[in-house]
Amino acid sequence: MLLLTATREALLAPLQSVSGIVEKRHTLPILSNVLIDKKGGVLTLLATDIEIQIRTHGTASGSEDASLTVGARKLQDILRALPEGMEVSFKLDGSRLSLHAGKSRFQLQTLPASDYPRMQFNEAEAVTINVSQKAFKHQLAQVSYAMAAQDIRYYLNGLLLMVQESELRMVATDGHRLAFASAAVEGEMPKAEVILPRKTVLELSRQLADSDEPLEISLAGNQARFRFGPIELITKLIDGKFPDYERVIPKGHPKLIRLGRLAWLASLQRAAILTNEKFRGVRIVLAEGSLKILSTNAEQEEAQEELEVDYAGEGVDIGFNVTYLLDVLTNTHVDEVELRLNDSNSSALITLPNDECFKYVVMPMRI
């Protein structure tokens, strides 16, 4: 049975949109597969790992309608390896999918579409926000690097998303640093507060376009749904109590230094070369007119960088994990940043000049 015919690109693009969440090794073999559903000229592809589900649409010709599941990675690798512009046809023979492209032939094992798990979104209870893809992607980039990766405090392995009146807030922390970003949204919204899983945040960062195209965000119960372009992403939410981030953000730090972002970033990158590989510590020594960056390692090697600063107050000598400073400077695309310090035992606050919408807090470390 001829299932469909389409160009390599018409199949590969939607497949790449959904296959990013497919796990290489899974306890359920069917979760390594992508669900392909063809009705008329519409091709629907769906992938899930039980926690996240992504659905997208494409077009294909062919008279037969059918649903099947096939190995996502294998199909993607085959399509990638074919020449550009190649016409590809899928034929279904019992439980085997035959893929024909020019003089190439591939046979893949399928599993029944009826066995494929699907997530349903509760539309009735949803709170919906509309923003541009570009604005949301930019806000994610400002905070997502501060998420924990595999923390036992599972609620830190994600990102806090808050909607309050006409403001959208995002917060991420791994317990050593915290990033906060807010942005205005149109209209008055009911209050909502959810924790998006790390995998969902990374997938959205990968998929969202740098354009003013719309993004619809719906929150309901323990789920969130994101619709943009042809893609629909449904995710479970992390059930937990996120730390009170407002208490963590310091207020009234008296020592304020304005620094060129690229100059400070370059100095830190050079100093980082001679840090201890395990602890990655650098000392920031602030004095009148000068900010020094010092690092040493187990071999007694040393690096010293110095930046001229407009500062005339009391000095301070404080240690930080250099990675945490590099992360914020790499992910904020501005000319200047502001560093606010108190003493050697207090956290540092990094902000943007004349901008209350971004705050980054770094805990000090003993060096």
Side-chain angles (χ1 to χ4, degrees), residues 154-320:
Y154 57 93
Y155 48 83
L156 297 185
N157 302 321
L159 180 146
L160 178 70
L161 184 72
M162 285 181 68
V163 189
Q164 198 164 357
E165 295 170 348
S166 56
E167 187 183 19
L168 182 66
R169 294 183 173 188
M170 295 184 193
V171 187
T173 179
D174 60 7
H176 304 288
R177 35 75 180 274
L178 178 144
F180 163 92
S182 70
V185 289
E186 286 183 17
E188 294 280 312
M189 300 288 170
K191 187 173 179 181
E193 191 173 315
V194 301
I195 306 174
L196 298 176
R198 177 185 176 83
K199 189 173 177 180
T200 301
V201 172
L202 297 178
E203 193 61 26
L204 286 169
S205 299
R206 184 177 78 88
Q207 298 251 22
L208 288 169
D210 250 327
S211 73
D212 293 323
E213 292 296 309
L215 165 65
E216 180 194 88
I217 307 162
S218 300
L219 310 173
N222 70 336
Q223 288 183 327
R225 183 183 65 196
F226 299 84
R227 283 178 168 170
F228 50 99
I231 294 170
E232 178 192 77
L233 186 153
I234 299 173
T235 177
K236 288 183 182 175
L237 300 168
I238 294 176
D239 183 19
K241 180 71 178 143
F242 202 81
D244 183 356
Y245 65 91
E246 289 185 332
R247 283 180 57 196
V248 175
I249 298 171
K251 294 170 181 66
H253 271 18
K255 301 174 177 67
L256 169 62
I257 313 99
R258 188 172 282 197
L259 294 155
R261 180 181 69 89
L262 292 175
W264 193 23
L265 175 61
S267 295
L268 287 167
Q269 285 171 331
R270 290 190 292 266
I273 297 166
L274 296 186
T275 55
N276 181 304
E277 283 183 22
K278 188 176 179 185
F279 301 109
R280 302 276 288 160
V282 294
R283 281 169 56 210
I284 302 287
V285 181
L286 177 64
E288 190 172 325
S290 140
L291 183 135
K292 287 180 183 171
I293 302 157
L294 308 170
S295 66
T296 60
N297 58 26
E299 287 81 40
Q300 306 298 308
E301 296 168 327
E302 297 178 8
Q304 177 177 315
E305 291 281 335
E306 186 169 355
L307 297 167
E308 287 185 15
V309 292
D310 182 11
Y311 179 74
E314 188 183 335
V316 66
D317 186 337
I318 185 168
F320 295 107

Side-chain angles (χ1 to χ4, degrees), residues 4-26:
L4 62 92
T5 303
T7 64
R8 165 192 178 267
E9 287 70 27
L11 294 169
L12 186 56
L15 181 59
Q16 287 177 323
S17 295
V18 301
S19 62
I21 62 161
V22 176
E23 301 287 353
K24 287 192 174 85
R25 294 183 183 82
H26 221 294

Side-chain angles (χ1 to χ4, degrees), residues 81-185:
L82 291 172
E84 285 185 23
M86 178 71 76
E87 188 158 283
V88 181
S89 63
F90 286 3
K91 291 178 181 174
L92 201 53
D93 182 13
S95 66
R96 295 173 81 78
L97 177 70
S98 296
L99 190 153
H100 293 226
K103 294 189 175 180
S104 301
R105 303 282 184 275
F106 304 90
Q107 288 218 325
L108 297 170
Q109 196 63 44
T110 68
L111 290 169
S114 56
D115 295 345
Y116 201 78
R118 294 169 178 83
M119 294 170 71
Q120 299 298 327
F121 185 75
N122 189 344
E123 199 89 48
E125 298 176 6
V127 172
T128 299
I129 312 143
N130 290 291
V131 292
S132 76
Q133 292 187 46
K134 184 179 182 178
F136 195 81
K137 185 174 184 169
H138 172 68
Q139 206 173 340
L140 283 178
Q142 286 186 302
V143 301
S144 58
Y145 55 86
M147 293 185 294
Q150 290 178 312
D151 201 294
I152 192 165
R153 297 162 293 180
Y154 57 93
Y155 48 83
L156 297 185
N157 302 321
L159 180 146
L160 178 70
L161 184 72
M162 285 181 68
V163 189
Q164 198 164 357
E165 295 170 348
S166 56
E167 187 183 19
L168 182 66
R169 294 183 173 188
M170 295 184 193
V171 187
T173 179
D174 60 7
H176 304 288
R177 35 75 180 274
L178 178 144
F180 163 92
S182 70
V185 289

Side-chain angles (χ1 to χ4, degrees), residues 300-359:
Q300 306 298 308
E301 296 168 327
E302 297 178 8
Q304 177 177 315
E305 291 281 335
E306 186 169 355
L307 297 167
E308 287 185 15
V309 292
D310 182 11
Y311 179 74
E314 188 183 335
V316 66
D317 186 337
I318 185 168
F320 295 107
N321 182 320
V322 72
T323 303
Y324 299 157
L325 298 177
L326 292 172
D327 280 348
V328 65
L329 295 174
T330 305
N331 287 285
T332 47
H333 304 288
V334 291
D335 293 333
E336 290 187 317
V337 295
E338 290 178 343
L339 172 64
R340 298 168 190 266
L341 300 168
N342 183 19
D343 57 41
S344 58
N345 298 313
S346 301
S347 58
L349 175 64
I350 294 172
T351 55
L352 310 181
N354 308 311
D355 186 352
E356 285 294 309
C357 295
F358 176 78
K359 294 179 174 71

